[in-house]
Amino acid sequence: MTILPLAYLPSVSYFARLLRGDCVVDLGEHFVKRSERNRTRILATDGVMELTAHVCHANRPRQPMRDVRLDYSKRWQHQHWGALVSSYRSSPYFDHYAGRFEPFYTRPYDFLVEYNLGLLEVLCSLARIPMPTLCERYVEARPGDLDLRSRNSEGPAFEAEPYFQVFSDRMPFAANLSFADLLFAEGPASVSVLERCRFGS
């Protein structure tokens, strides 16, 4: 079994694991700051850009993920949506899918878990990938499980399958960005790209 954190606009490798099945997303773990729980990477006009959803009391130790509140003292939603639009408006499928994403950047959500889970449901729905099993209580890793909750645990090396990205005419391929990057580029063909990705032993 693979144990995953609940991530903000998760990566291509995250979705490649979901597609292979036997994954559980742990909603009962503790928040890890500067991690994929509230950060994602997209491709902007000048290269890879990191987007961070602002949370309250990020430095509080051992804060359960389900208790982490979003912080709106800065206009990060507006900034993120502006970055997504300017980065992907010319990609083949952005106009098809933008309406499903925009509400997450125009209305407030109280909790990070609620926000991330809503985005995960949208991504899974558009890609026609079943939602993973969710566990409300902390998942104890057993021998043989792949636990990817630690900030430094990447698991086996990920070999991305290249696809045509929005700035491919002037930038090299950027691997393992948010799955949204792949979805806006490939639409329904995203799953076939995921199937060609590989994990090392």
Side-chain angles (χ1 to χ4, degrees), residues 28-112:
E29 62 155 355
H30 292 118
F31 176 73
V32 178
K33 64 180 181 178
R34 293 194 291 275
S35 75
E36 62 192 306
R37 289 154 187 80
N38 67 322
R39 291 188 176 194
T40 193
R41 295 163 64 242
I42 66 169
L43 192 60
T45 53
D46 54 353
V48 175
M49 173 190 283
E50 191 172 84
L51 302 177
T52 302
H54 293 219
V55 299
C56 301
H57 312 300
N59 293 320
R60 184 178 290 164
R62 300 185 62 78
Q63 182 177 195
M65 262 293 283
R66 63 180 164 269
D67 294 343
V68 176
R69 288 184 171 273
L70 289 165
D71 177 4
Y72 296 103
S73 60
K74 294 188 176 134
R75 300 181 67 207
W76 62 267
Q77 279 180 303
H78 176 77
Q79 293 164 353
H80 288 202
W81 184 243
L84 288 166
V85 171
S86 65
S87 295
Y88 295 112
R89 64 182 159 217
S90 62
S91 64
Y93 288 92
F94 183 76
D95 286 343
H96 295 275
Y97 300 149
R100 296 286 300 277
F101 289 91
E102 189 174 12
F104 292 92
Y105 299 95
T106 54
R107 77 172 185 86
Y109 287 74
D110 290 329
F111 293 96
L112 180 63

Side-chain angles (χ1 to χ4, degrees), residues 9 18 42 81 85 93 95 132 139 142 163 167 178-179 185 201:
L9 289 177
L18 294 186
I42 66 169
W81 184 243
V85 171
Y93 288 92
D95 286 343
V139 178
R142 299 168 301 186
Y163 52 92
F167 303 115
S178 168
F179 179 65
S201 54

Side-chain angles (χ1 to χ4, degrees), residues 137-194:
R137 296 169 59 176
Y138 181 80
V139 178
E140 294 287 349
R142 299 168 301 186
D145 286 346
L146 178 59
D147 188 348
L148 297 177
R149 292 170 292 187
S150 164
R151 185 187 306 141
N152 301 319
S153 85
E154 297 176 1
F158 177 64
E159 299 170 25
E161 173 70 15
Y163 52 92
F164 188 84
Q165 290 177 319
V166 69
F167 303 115
S168 290
D169 59 333
R170 60 181 190 262
M171 285 186 212
F173 177 73
N176 208 24
L177 301 176
S178 168
F179 179 65
D181 182 86
L182 171 56
L183 192 65
F184 294 147
E186 296 286 343
S190 298
V191 168
S192 64
V193 175
L194 291 177

